[in-house]
Amino acid sequence: MSSSPSTPQHVLTQIAEAEVALLKTPLLAFAQALASPGANLLTVQNAAANVLLQVPQLSAPAQTAALNIVGNGLTAWISAIGNKPATATSASSAS
């Protein structure tokens, strides 16, 4: 959403508030999935998908922000998994 001189500030504010409301619950669930010690790929993937389902309804800047949040969150989560020592369960499932 570009800010044009013809769009009143209160309208832009209402749009931004609606976008925050739309993303609040799925982003919170995504953050909780990433932070959960028992999180698995399916849990994190579903939480990310719920955020991404909202993206088409957002303005361009909000789309970029949502995609960056999901991308950065997944990158950090995968990196954290890669830095954990292998357990008997994870080592046996890899073979």
Side-chain angles (χ1 to χ4, degrees), residues 45-74:
Q45 175 184 322
N46 285 341
N50 287 333
V51 175
L52 297 177
L53 286 171
Q54 305 306 320
V55 168
Q57 303 173 57
L58 304 173
S59 64
Q63 287 179 348
T64 300
L67 294 173
N68 284 336
I69 290 168
V70 170
N72 292 337
L74 291 174

Side-chain angles (χ1 to χ4, degrees), residues 1-73:
M1 166 182 70
S2 63
S3 176
S4 67
S6 62
T7 306
Q9 184 61 43
H10 74 279
V11 172
L12 296 174
T13 301
Q14 288 173 341
I15 292 169
E17 288 171 351
E19 290 177 329
V20 167
L22 187 66
L23 286 172
K24 184 178 180 178
T25 300
L27 280 175
L28 180 58
F30 179 59
Q32 290 171 333
L34 292 174
S36 172
N40 61 36
L41 180 59
L42 184 60
T43 303
V44 172
Q45 175 184 322
N46 285 341
N50 287 333
V51 175
L52 297 177
L53 286 171
Q54 305 306 320
V55 168
Q57 303 173 57
L58 304 173
S59 64
Q63 287 179 348
T64 300
L67 294 173
N68 284 336
I69 290 168
V70 170
N72 292 337

Side-chain angles (χ1 to χ4, degrees), residues 79-91:
S79 177
I81 289 173
N83 292 329
K84 287 183 182 175
T87 62
T89 304
S90 63

